[in-house]
Amino acid sequence: MEEETVQTAVTNAVSGMNIEGMFSNPPEWVQTAQELLTKFGLKTVAAILIFVIGRWVAKLLKNLLQKMMERAKVDAAIVGFTVSLVHAAMMIFVVLAALGQVGVETTSFIAVLGAAGLAVGLALQGSLSNFASGVLILIFRPFKAGDYIEGADTAGVVKTIHIFTTTLTTLDNKRVIVPNSKLMSDNIINYSAEGKRRLDLVACISYGDSIDTAKAAMMDELTKDERVLKDPAPFVGVLAMNDSSIDLAVRPWVTVADYWDVFFTLNERIKKRLEEEGCTIPFPQRDVHIYKED
């Protein structure tokens, strides 16, 4: 009897709730929730899709750009910096697109980013110029580590090439750090790029000495030195006829690594050989004639 009484009470309560009326005329908060879901639900889903797909595309383009730069043998420092910068720019674009999809006003964000970029650019104008020059150096490679170069009012062996500066070591072992923008805005003389250099030596003999004998002696000294290259062939010829001497040009070719050793060695050997051949190295002289009046 008690169970039947409970069932009857539940039945009467359910029938009194008017369920059909609740679905046909839902409460106000339910209607508001339905409107919000209808209005923002699809936009939220679209924003999520934009973010997920955009992130995937950004990663794909990042890897593609990295492979292309590595295939072109671009310096690793440039590859890492450029790839990271491009990926960050693409992700900012994706995030702004996703926020715009859900109704967030992105104009102010873009204005703030633009103003910040302008301020940073003005503050780092010199550094950005050095960076751009460093990128050009690493891409076009007018010189590399180990080359002996002259530029920006200095000369030395290139030790390291960085994004903003290039470090040189002079012949007397001084370290010189040169801004890349200064290097790229001036002439660059690369003494090591071709692999071989010509020595420009001058030997002087007097007018009473035999030119043929002096030339043969110097050519013999050049031939005996194994460091002197056969191709291009060395050359000895008359350079100038001065007031007190005949100047002979001595032009051997050597590798870059042997340049200074051969330079000093040949100067010494030529001097000694000319003395052996009886040639004299004249000093500047003047003939003074004294006339005595009658």
Side-chain angles (χ1 to χ4, degrees):
M1 291 295 294
E2 292 180 359
E3 293 180 358
E4 293 179 356
T5 303
V6 173
Q7 290 177 357
T8 303
V10 172
T11 302
N12 294 334
V14 171
S15 60
M17 290 177 65
N18 192 10
I19 296 176
E20 293 181 0
M22 290 179 61
F23 283 100
S24 60
N25 296 310
E28 184 176 353
W29 67 271
V30 175
Q31 294 179 2
T32 303
Q34 290 176 346
E35 292 176 358
L36 291 175
L37 287 175
T38 304
K39 183 177 181 180
F40 295 104
L42 295 178
K43 292 184 177 181
T44 303
V45 173
I48 294 174
L49 289 176
I50 289 174
F51 179 78
V52 173
I53 296 175
R55 184 180 178 184
W56 177 77
V57 172
K59 186 176 181 180
L60 180 65
L61 293 177
K62 172 187 173 182
N63 294 334
L64 180 62
L65 178 63
Q66 183 174 357
K67 290 180 180 179
M68 290 176 60
M69 296 182 72
E70 290 176 350
R71 191 177 303 168
K73 297 182 179 180
V74 180
D75 190 86
I78 291 293
V79 173
F81 184 85
T82 304
V83 168
S84 299
L85 185 64
V86 171
H87 183 259
M90 288 189 294
M91 287 304 301
I92 291 175
F93 176 78
V94 169
V95 170
L96 291 177
L99 292 175
Q101 183 64 34
V102 295
V104 177
E105 185 63 38
T106 58
T107 306
S108 58
F109 287 101
I110 296 175
V112 170
L113 289 175
L118 179 61
V120 171
L122 292 175
L124 301 177
Q125 185 176 2
S127 298
L128 291 177
S129 176
N130 289 326
F131 169 76
S133 300
V135 172
L136 294 177
I137 290 174
L138 291 172
I139 291 177
F140 295 106
R141 294 184 179 277
F143 53 83
K144 64 181 184 299
D147 287 352
Y148 181 78
I149 68 169
E150 180 180 342
D153 299 327
T154 188
V157 178
V158 178
K159 289 299 181 182
T160 54
I161 305 172
H162 299 289
I163 294 296
F164 297 100
T165 60
T166 295
T167 302
L168 306 178
T169 301
T170 61
L171 294 179
D172 55 351
N173 205 32
K174 295 177 183 177
R175 179 180 297 178
V176 182
I177 300 175
V178 185
N180 287 332
S181 60
K182 194 171 182 180
L183 268 178
M184 292 300 291
S185 63
D186 199 358
N187 295 331
I188 300 175
I189 303 175
N190 192 332
Y191 293 97
S192 304
E194 300 300 326
K196 52 189 175 183
R197 292 180 61 184
R198 190 185 72 181
L199 285 170
D200 293 336
L201 306 178
V202 178
C204 301
I205 59 175
S206 66
Y207 276 88
D209 297 331
S210 170
I211 294 178
D212 294 334
T213 300
K215 288 176 61 177
M218 286 184 284
M219 186 62 72
D220 183 54
E221 290 298 323
L222 297 179
T223 304
K224 289 192 299 185
D225 196 321
E226 296 180 354
R227 296 168 298 180
V228 175
L229 301 177
K230 303 298 187 293
D231 184 22
F235 169 80
V236 179
V238 176
L239 179 64
M241 292 182 288
N242 294 319
D243 296 337
S244 304
S245 65
I246 296 177
D247 296 344
L248 300 178
V250 184
R251 302 289 187 262
W253 288 83
V254 296
T255 61
V256 174
D258 292 333
Y259 181 86
W260 289 110
D261 289 339
V262 178
F263 178 88
F264 295 117
T265 302
L266 279 183
N267 273 321
E268 181 179 346
R269 287 182 179 177
I270 289 174
K271 200 269 183 186
K272 292 180 178 179
R273 183 63 183 271
L274 289 177
E275 290 178 345
E276 292 176 2
E277 298 293 334
C279 297
T280 58
I281 300 176
F283 298 96
Q285 57 186 353
R286 292 181 182 275
D287 291 335
V288 179
H289 301 273
I290 301 175
Y291 294 92
K292 185 176 181 181
E293 292 185 2
D294 190 8

